[in-house]
């Protein structure tokens, strides 16, 4: 469904000129890149194919950039909703299409900046273990690198702090939105569009940030020798192979198909094909 929604967004001029659809397309593109490269990595590991060191490092870097891009874009979608609700008359002036394109470029730059810093620290401290790179498995390499030098651990904790600062900012925006709109009556019905949108955003955010919280807790317990290395590997495998995939599966259905313009465009494509076959 992700390539179909991307096709609708990029093929319709009226749709791709709106900020929310541009951010949605960027989030779906990040998720698609992550899924493709992670599937490739899993298939190579299952086939016991050993990648060269450079290819493994490149694959890990692309995975980190794609995941960070999806995470930051999800946060940008929430901020876009915040601005659209609180400043409806100034929304077009605050976020025109030209500025949105610059924001998307900035999001990709930030998504690449964190992995670049992390990989530079790993390469400078020689923390890439040869046995891990032969496996080229993200959970295994993460666990082995966290058992490395203090510089690597510092980068990990700083990245974790940045992620949870973003999460705190998003929940502050949600709290402000709720109290600002509480008297307007849009929350009276459980099935109202505002309530469903609020629930949808919270569901996606929970599935985006809960795996990171699980990795944070697991890393903290393992570093302090509370759990064994084998238990940590199993937890990391579950997080990467299940919990981190769930939001990327739910995102196109909760966001993409919920927008009326995208749903109408998809229906028109299906109907035109059906009419063509009947005629």
């Amino acid at each position: 469904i992700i390539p179909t929604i991307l096709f609708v967004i990029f093929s319709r001029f009226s749709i791709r000129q709106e900020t929310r659809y541009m951010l949605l397309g960027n989030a779906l593109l990040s998720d698609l890149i992550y899924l493709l490269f992670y599937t490739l990595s899993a298939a190579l590991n299952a086939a016991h194919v050993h990648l060269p060191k450079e290819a493994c490092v490149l694959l890990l870097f692309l995975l980190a950039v794609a995941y960070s891009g999806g995470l930051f874009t999800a946060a940008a979608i929430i901020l876009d909703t915040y601005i659209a609700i609180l400043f409806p008359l100034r929304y077009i002036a605050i976020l025109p299409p030209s500025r949105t394109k610059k924001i998307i470029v900035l999001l990709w730059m930030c998504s690449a900046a964190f992995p670049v810093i992390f990989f530079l620290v790993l390469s400078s401290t020689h923390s890439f273990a040869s046995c891990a790179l032969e496996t080229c498995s993200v959970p295994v390499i993460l666990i082995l690198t966290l058992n490395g030098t203090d510089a690597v651990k510092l980068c990990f904790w700083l990245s974790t702090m940045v992620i949870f600062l973003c999460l705190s900012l998003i929940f502050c925006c949600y709290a402000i939105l709720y109290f600002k709109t509480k008297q307007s009556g849009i929350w009276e019905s459980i099935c109202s569009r505002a309530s469903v949108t609020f629930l949808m955003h919270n569901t996606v955010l929970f599935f985006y940030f809960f795996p990171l919280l699980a990795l944070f807790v697991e890393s903290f317990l393992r570093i302090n020798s509370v759990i064994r290395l084998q238990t940590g590997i199993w937890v990391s495998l579950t997080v990467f192979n299940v919990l981190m995939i769930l939001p990327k599966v739910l995102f196109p259905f909760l966001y993409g198909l919920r927008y009326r313009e995208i749903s109408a465009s998809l229906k028109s494509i299906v109907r035109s094909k059906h009419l063509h076959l009947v005629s």
Side-chain angles (χ1 to χ4, degrees), residues 46-81:
H48 301 287
V49 177
H50 299 296
L51 291 176
K53 178 180 178 180
E54 294 76 12
C56 182
V57 171
L58 178 61
L59 182 61
L60 295 174
F61 176 76
L62 292 175
L63 282 171
V65 172
Y67 189 84
S68 301
L71 197 67
F72 290 150
T73 308
I77 290 175
I78 307 302
L79 293 177
D80 172 68
T81 306

Side-chain angles (χ1 to χ4, degrees), residues 206-225:
F206 173 79
F207 281 113
Y208 260 111
F209 285 96
F210 177 73
L212 301 177
L213 178 62
L215 280 178
F216 173 79
V217 174
E218 180 267 330
S219 303
F220 180 78
L221 293 176
R222 186 169 33 79
I223 289 175
N224 290 278
S225 302

Side-chain angles (χ1 to χ4, degrees), residues 34 64 67-68 70-72 142 146 156-157 159-167 204-220 235-236 239-240 243-245 247-248:
Y34 180 85
Y67 189 84
S68 301
L71 197 67
F72 290 150
L142 179 64
L146 287 178
F156 175 78
W157 296 122
S159 302
T160 305
M161 288 176 60
V162 170
I163 290 172
F164 281 100
L165 282 176
C166 293
L167 182 62
V204 173
L205 279 177
F206 173 79
F207 281 113
Y208 260 111
F209 285 96
F210 177 73
L212 301 177
L213 178 62
L215 280 178
F216 173 79
V217 174
E218 180 267 330
S219 303
F220 180 78
V235 172
S236 298
V239 170
F240 276 95
L243 297 180
M244 283 191 174
I245 303 299
K248 303 182 184 308

Side-chain angles (χ1 to χ4, degrees), residues 141-242:
I141 290 179
L142 179 64
I143 286 181
L144 291 179
T145 51
L146 287 178
N147 289 329
T149 61
D150 293 335
V152 177
K153 295 177 183 179
L154 178 62
C155 284
F156 175 78
W157 296 122
L158 288 178
S159 302
T160 305
M161 288 176 60
V162 170
I163 290 172
F164 281 100
L165 282 176
C166 293
L167 182 62
S168 302
L169 176 64
I170 290 172
F171 277 112
C172 286
C173 291
Y174 266 135
I176 294 172
L177 280 177
Y178 177 76
F179 288 111
K180 290 278 187 180
T181 58
K182 188 177 181 180
Q183 305 299 326
S184 62
I186 62 176
W187 303 101
E188 293 180 358
S189 174
I190 299 177
C191 298
S192 65
R193 188 167 180 83
S195 300
V196 174
T197 302
F198 185 77
L199 178 62
M200 176 189 67
H201 284 311
N202 277 284
T203 302
V204 173
L205 279 177
F206 173 79
F207 281 113
Y208 260 111
F209 285 96
F210 177 73
L212 301 177
L213 178 62
L215 280 178
F216 173 79
V217 174
E218 180 267 330
S219 303
F220 180 78
L221 293 176
R222 186 169 33 79
I223 289 175
N224 290 278
S225 302
V226 178
I227 60 176
R228 295 181 302 170
L229 180 62
Q230 185 177 4
T231 305
I233 290 177
W234 278 109
V235 172
S236 298
L237 285 171
T238 304
V239 170
F240 276 95
N241 294 326
V242 179

Side-chain angles (χ1 to χ4, degrees), residues 253-270:
F253 294 97
L254 293 179
Y255 276 85
L257 297 181
R258 190 171 180 272
Y259 286 118
R260 297 187 183 96
E261 291 83 354
I262 294 179
S263 298
S265 299
L266 290 174
K267 289 178 182 178
S268 65
I269 293 174
V270 173

